[in-house]
Amino acid sequence: MLQETAAALSHCQEAAARRRSAERRSADDLGTLLAAPAPQASAVEAALRRCGVPEAGPYRVVVADAGARRPGAGGGGAG
């Protein structure tokens, strides 16, 4: 029973890793498209759908910049 549980958990982890990879690829593709000189609206809409953005709003745009990464700088939490 322990082996079956481990196999099921492994399967779930692999599926989650595949989803994260696909999400990253979609986001990378969208970024590349938006960086183009004159992206077509239909292509941007399709890329947004692949990233999980719904067709109807309301939408809120948020821009964040973590600044330059410094060697040894931690990435999470206060402290």
Side-chain angles (χ1 to χ4, degrees):
M1 182 150 159
L2 183 59
Q3 288 177 339
E4 292 173 2
T5 302
L9 289 174
S10 175
H11 177 71
C12 289
Q13 288 177 331
E14 290 170 3
R18 282 192 302 274
R19 278 192 307 275
R20 286 190 302 271
S21 178
E23 290 167 356
R24 260 186 255 110
R25 278 193 310 275
S26 294
D28 289 345
D29 291 347
L30 176 59
T32 300
L33 179 63
L34 293 174
Q40 293 185 343
S42 61
V44 172
E45 289 175 9
L48 288 169
R49 299 293 92 69
R50 285 191 300 274
C51 287
V53 175
E55 289 187 36
Y59 303 113
R60 182 167 308 201
V61 177
V62 177
V63 178
D65 183 359
R69 296 189 102 186
R70 296 183 318 255

